[in-house]
Every structure is written in structure tokens, then in C-alpha cells.
């Protein structure tokens, strides 16, 4: 027997002081309600209600039972109301795991706007490239770049990471601006540690492979942007990493007809049933990208 359901039905009858009003409130036949309360009494071995043709009154056992049941039902209602509120009102602690460069170069400048728009959301950000277990660790959301293995997580595309070529005005003044990919000095092409080969594509569908041979190599796209901004060479980096330097005039996009293969950036969640705080964070990021 489902005691919690039967307790709730009994509490409704006790509060309404009758089966007809309680049945109307619950949207169920009066006969069904009466039968289920009777089954509860049988299970307890005690009569909870005195029934007459005109009224329903609590017995002594019924009063004691109602006194104990009522706080339980009220707490259950409060819990349901609170959880329902999570679906419509964005508030609470949102725990997010993010890549390092994405956090520093893209998200950090947006945080004041996010905070102003959603003052009741408290962000706890774990800036790390490591693989996160959304089931076993206390994260609501993980952001990762590149195609993801089939982990069973729900993935939402936030943006497509477009990669272009950039150099500083000081570098270009000294070395001249390349007019074709073949003009790129290999020794000045700043290297990403795990990908020294640059595959460039143009609108005509042509492909050129450049092997970066700079003495400088790093495993951070954000660091590559800073190095290029300081005149150390040409960087092949995501537009979101170069945007602030391009806006400030410290980097210039070169060879505008050429770009790299776009890389998707995903928001990963353990389920599609998301509270408002998570939905709003994802929607906010999408609104700032080309994926929206």
C-alpha cells in the first residue's frame, strides 16, 4: 500500500471536513476517495473518521493521525513548490567545469553582464581541461571543445570555434603582410604543442597545409594570442581568443580569405531536465555566439 498517497488523501478529507469537497478539490470520484481512506483505516486497524449522512468527523485516532500527517504534507508541498520554482526562476549555485582558455578569454569579460542579468545565480567555476564525471561529481554543466565521445551526456552546441590567422601591427610593419599562405614564414608560425600542422581552407574549397616551425610552442590558445600580440609571430587561433586584441588594435587578422576547420564547443549535461539556472547560463552563452 502506498501510505504517502493515502495519507495525503486522508489529510485532504480531514481539512475539507467531508468527502465531497475533498473529492472535488482532488478531481477524483467521491466513491474512490472514500474507498481509499477506508483501506488506510483497515491497514492501520483504527477508525480515523466518523461518517454520517451529513458530516464527517475525526475520531480520537484520526485527530492524532492528522496532527502528525499534516506537517508531513505541508513540507512535501513546500518541497514541490521550491523545486517547481527552480524550473522558472534562475537562482542558486551553478557549478560549471570549463576549459582554461575559454574561461579567461571568452567568459571572464562576459561575467559582469551575466551577474547583472541573473543576480540570484552564484557561479562556482572549475577551470580545468580534465575529464569530468557529471554523475559522480557535483557539476551541473561542463563546457568542452571538439567532438565528444559517446558518453551518454546531453550535448548542446554553444558555438562553432572559427580559427583564423593573426599577427600584430608591429610584426607586420617589420616583416610585411603575407598575401598568400605560401608567404607565411614557417619559422614565425607560432606552434600549438599538439598541432604544429595548420590546415587552411578558402571559399573556393582549396586546402593548404602549413607546418609551424617557430621556436615557441605552447599548449594554450590564449597564450598564443598574447604572444602574437607582442610581435612574436603569426598565430592560428580561434576568433574568440583574438577578439579583445583585435578590438584594441594589438592583433590584425591576415589572409582573410583563409581559415581553419571550425571546431564545435559544447555544453554537456547529465540530463535534459534542467533547472532554470542551467538553462539560463546556456542560453546566455549561446546569445553571445554564432550558435544562437
Amino acid at each position: 500500500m502506498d501510505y504517502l498517497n493515502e495519507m495525503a488523501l486522508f489529510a485532504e478529507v480531514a481539512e475539507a471536513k467531508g468527502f465531497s469537497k475533498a473529492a472535488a478539490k482532488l478531481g477524483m470520484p467521491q466513491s474512490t476517495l472514500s474507498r481509499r481512506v477506508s483501506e488506510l483505516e483497515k491497514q492501520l486497524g483504527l477508525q480515523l473518521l466518523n461518517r454520517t449522512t451529513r458530516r464527517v468527523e475525526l475520531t480520537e485516532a484520526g485527530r492524532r493521525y492528522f496532527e502528525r500527517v499534516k506537517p508531513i504534507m505541508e513540507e512535501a508541498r513546500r518541497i514541490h513548490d521550491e523545486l517547481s520554482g527552480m524550473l522558472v526562476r534562475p537562482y542558486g549555485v551553478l557549478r560549471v567545469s570549463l576549459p582554461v582558455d575559454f574561461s579567461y578569454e571568452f567568459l571572464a569579460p562576459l561575467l559582469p553582464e551575466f551577474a547583472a542579468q541573473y543576480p540570484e545565480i552564484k557561479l562556482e567555476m572549475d577551470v580545468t581541461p580534465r575529464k569530468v564525471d557529471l554523475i559522480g561529481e557535483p557539476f551541473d554543466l561542463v563546457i568542452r571543445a571538439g567532438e565528444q565521445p559517446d558518453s551518454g551526456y546531453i550535448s548542446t552546441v554553444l558555438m562553432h570555434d572559427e580559427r583564423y590567422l593573426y599577427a600584430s601591427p608591429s610584426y607586420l610593419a617589420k616583416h610585411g603582410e603575407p598575401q598568400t599562405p605560401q608567404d607565411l614564414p614557417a619559422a614565425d608560425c607560432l606552434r600549438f604543442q599538439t598541432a604544429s600542422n595548420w590546415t587552411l581552407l578558402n571559399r573556393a574549397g582549396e586546402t593548404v597545409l602549413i607546418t609551424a616551425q617557430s621556436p615557441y610552442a605552447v599548449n594554450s590558445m590564449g597564450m598564443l594570442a598574447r604572444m602574437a600580440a607582442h610581435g612574436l609571430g603569426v598565430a592560428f587561433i580561434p576568433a574568440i581568443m583574438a577578439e579583445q586584441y583585435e578590438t584594441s588594435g594589438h592583433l590584425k587578422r591576415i589572409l582573410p580569405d583563409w581559415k581553419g576547420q571550425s571546431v564545435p564547443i559544447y555544453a554537456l549535461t547529465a540530463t535534459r531536465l534542467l533547472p532554470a539556472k542551467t538553462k539560463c547560463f546556456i542560453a546566455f552563452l549561446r546569445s553571445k555566439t554564432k550558435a544562437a
Side-chain angles (χ1 to χ4, degrees):
M1 184 175 187
D2 189 343
Y3 284 106
L4 287 176
N5 279 335
E6 310 310 322
M7 286 165 56
L9 294 178
F10 164 76
E12 292 290 350
V13 174
E15 286 184 338
K17 297 181 181 180
F19 283 95
S20 60
K21 289 183 180 179
K25 181 179 179 181
L26 294 167
M28 64 190 305
Q30 183 175 332
S31 58
T32 302
L33 179 58
S34 179
R35 175 178 55 78
R36 291 181 64 174
V37 172
S38 295
E39 289 173 356
L40 175 63
E41 291 176 316
K42 289 179 183 178
Q43 289 293 323
L44 292 172
L46 291 168
Q47 186 173 345
L48 301 176
L49 299 169
N50 284 323
R51 303 162 175 83
T52 69
T53 55
R54 293 188 177 182
R55 64 169 61 179
V56 172
E57 293 183 346
L58 293 169
T59 64
E60 181 181 356
R63 284 193 297 272
R64 290 189 180 185
Y65 193 68
F66 183 56
E67 287 173 0
R68 301 295 296 273
V69 165
K70 187 175 180 180
I72 296 172
M73 295 300 104
E74 288 177 347
E75 180 63 18
R77 289 191 188 101
R78 282 194 291 270
I79 292 171
H80 278 265
D81 289 344
E82 180 180 335
L83 293 179
S84 296
M86 291 178 67
L87 291 174
V88 296
R89 181 166 68 92
Y91 73 98
V93 178
L94 180 64
R95 297 176 177 88
V96 188
S97 175
L98 312 104
V100 177
D101 290 332
F102 182 90
S103 305
Y104 291 176
E105 308 298 337
F106 178 72
L107 180 59
L110 298 175
L111 288 179
E113 181 181 348
F114 181 80
Q117 193 169 338
Y118 300 105
E120 293 188 276
I121 297 180
K122 297 177 176 63
L123 275 176
E124 289 188 3
M125 295 171 282
D126 180 44
V127 180
T128 175
R130 71 180 179 85
K131 185 178 181 180
V132 168
D133 180 2
L134 276 168
I135 305 299
E137 296 184 66
F139 290 106
D140 301 292
L141 177 71
V142 174
I143 294 177
R144 290 294 181 264
E147 295 299 337
Q148 300 299 305
D150 185 9
S151 60
Y153 296 149
I154 306 302
S155 60
T156 301
V157 176
L158 294 178
M159 62 184 297
H160 288 92
D161 182 356
E162 302 288 353
R163 302 193 178 194
Y164 302 111
L165 295 157
Y166 297 90
S168 70
S170 61
Y171 174 87
L172 296 175
K174 183 177 180 180
H175 299 279
E177 183 170 342
Q179 300 302 306
T180 69
Q182 290 76 15
D183 294 336
L184 289 169
D188 292 342
C189 293
L190 301 172
R191 291 186 290 127
F192 191 77
Q193 280 185 351
T194 57
S196 292
N197 291 326
W198 302 353
T199 301
L200 305 179
L201 313 170
N202 68 7
R203 295 170 186 170
E206 299 174 308
T207 301
V208 173
L209 182 66
I210 302 295
T211 301
Q213 297 177 16
S214 167
Y216 305 108
V218 66
N219 65 346
S220 162
M221 289 291 179
M223 183 64 176
L224 285 177
R226 291 173 185 267
M227 291 164 63
H230 285 284
L232 288 175
V234 177
F236 183 45
I237 53 177
I240 61 170
M241 300 300 163
E243 184 175 0
Q244 61 174 308
Y245 302 102
E246 195 174 13
T247 301
S248 65
H250 291 94
L251 281 180
K252 178 184 177 182
R253 183 178 166 189
I254 61 174
L255 297 176
D257 292 334
W258 296 85
K259 67 175 185 176
Q261 188 72 41
S262 65
V263 176
I265 295 180
Y266 293 100
L268 305 175
T269 57
T271 176
R272 296 186 190 276
L273 303 176
L274 302 176
K277 62 182 181 181
T278 308
K279 290 180 179 178
C280 288
F281 186 71
I282 292 174
F284 176 81
L285 293 182
R286 283 174 58 85
S287 73
K288 303 301 177 183
T289 69
K290 295 178 182 179

